[in-house]
Amino acid sequence: MPESYDVLFASSNIHKYEEAEKILAEFGIKLSFFQTELVEIQDDSLSKIALQKVENAYEKCKKPVIVEDDGLFIDSLSGFPGPYSSYIFNTIGNNGILKLIGDNRDAQFVAIIAFCDSSNEPTLFESSVAGKISKNIQDGGWGYDPIFIPEKQNKTYAELADKNKLSHRYESLKKFASWFNNKQE
Ligand code: ITT
């Protein structure tokens, strides 16, 4: 870990960190990657999963730390894969999702940022972006990027040059940044 940073980002997923690092730099917050496998409980609430993850992350690093828990909620599948998005991506993947989905392709991508340091109880910041699941898998990106089209766009996250300006991650990190910067004043 570099000497100088404001907050650690604990995750096993470098893509999440790389996007978060760029987004928070815009708000003057310097992030550093704490690559680690966190305890991830199975629960139908993303908030509970994020809380458990950040408590586990803080125990490991004892430094100001954020974690992020994301879920893709598909309307025609009653919100599936939701809190199971990571497991489902690693098992049936984007192909499997396209086989399961019904006529209604509406979906929401939800991001919860959880922050913890020595003086605070964990604090959560949630945002979601509505969108649609594409008919085909597009090239590029990572995770569900090749199949998620955010609202008001006609391209998937994988094809959008400005994903970081409109993603679920951007919206929740913006809330975190405003809170964190106020706290520092
Ligand atoms: P950590 O829990 O270690 O942080 P993870 O990859 O397991 O990493 P999540 O449980 O938060 O992260 O993510 C749920 C799934 O959603 C996972 O398969 C991610 O790859 C995917 N995902 C999250 N954000 C995404 C994004 O911006 N674009 C595409 N896929 C995304």
Side-chain angles (χ1 to χ4, degrees), residues 22-29 170 173-174 177-178 181:
K22 285 198 191 95
I23 293 167
L24 286 181
E26 212 184 285
F27 299 100
I29 299 172
Y170 177 78
L173 283 172
K174 194 164 79 171
S178 152
N181 285 334

Side-chain angles (χ1 to χ4, degrees), residues 174-185:
K174 194 164 79 171
K175 288 184 186 169
F176 163 74
S178 152
W179 174 84
F180 184 78
N181 285 334
N182 269 333
K183 190 165 91 80
Q184 308 301 103
E185 276 165 14

Side-chain angles (χ1 to χ4, degrees), residues 14-185:
I14 184 86
H15 303 293
K16 283 165 62 166
Y17 165 71
E18 284 174 348
E19 291 185 8
E21 198 245 341
K22 285 198 191 95
I23 293 167
L24 286 181
E26 212 184 285
F27 299 100
I29 299 172
K30 189 159 172 14
L31 213 54
S32 180
F33 192 29
F34 174 33
Q35 182 155 30
T36 181
E37 290 289 339
L38 297 167
V39 172
E40 193 155 341
I41 53 165
Q42 291 293 316
D43 196 281
D44 54 17
S45 151
L46 282 191
S47 305
K48 280 195 198 150
I49 300 171
L51 264 182
Q52 165 86 36
K53 268 163 91 168
V54 81
E55 281 167 0
N56 180 233
Y58 184 73
E59 253 170 49
K60 287 186 176 190
C61 66
K62 302 283 184 201
K63 300 271 192 300
V65 64
I66 58 178
V67 302
E68 181 188 331
D69 204 62
D70 301 300
L72 178 64
F73 294 76
I74 300 177
D75 290 11
S76 66
L77 303 177
S78 306
F80 179 86
Y84 309 103
S85 295
S86 195
Y87 177 73
I88 292 304
F89 182 77
N90 293 329
T91 50
I92 64 171
N94 288 330
N95 254 314
I97 297 279
L98 292 193
K99 282 185 191 141
L100 288 175
I101 196 169
D103 291 339
N104 174 2
R105 309 190 79 84
D106 293 348
Q108 282 77 41
F109 224 140
V110 180
I112 300 199
I113 295 292
F115 171 83
C116 190
D117 69 5
S118 60
S119 59
N120 283 285
E121 285 296 298
T123 310
L124 303 191
F125 306 86
E126 174 170 352
S127 273
S128 67
V129 164
K132 286 195 183 310
I133 302 299
S134 60
K135 296 221 162 109
N136 301 301
I137 297 177
Q138 304 302 325
D139 286 338
W142 53 277
Y144 294 108
D145 281 353
I147 61 164
F148 184 74
I149 304 173
E151 66 182 349
K152 301 189 196 120
Q153 306 291 327
N154 52 16
K155 289 181 175 168
T156 61
Y157 270 172
E159 303 159 280
L160 287 168
D162 57 351
K163 173 189 173 189
N164 280 340
K165 295 263 176 243
L166 47 79
S167 71
H168 55 302
R169 177 164 300 103
Y170 177 78
E171 294 300 329
S172 51
L173 283 172
K174 194 164 79 171
K175 288 184 186 169
F176 163 74
S178 152
W179 174 84
F180 184 78
N181 285 334
N182 269 333
K183 190 165 91 80
Q184 308 301 103
E185 276 165 14

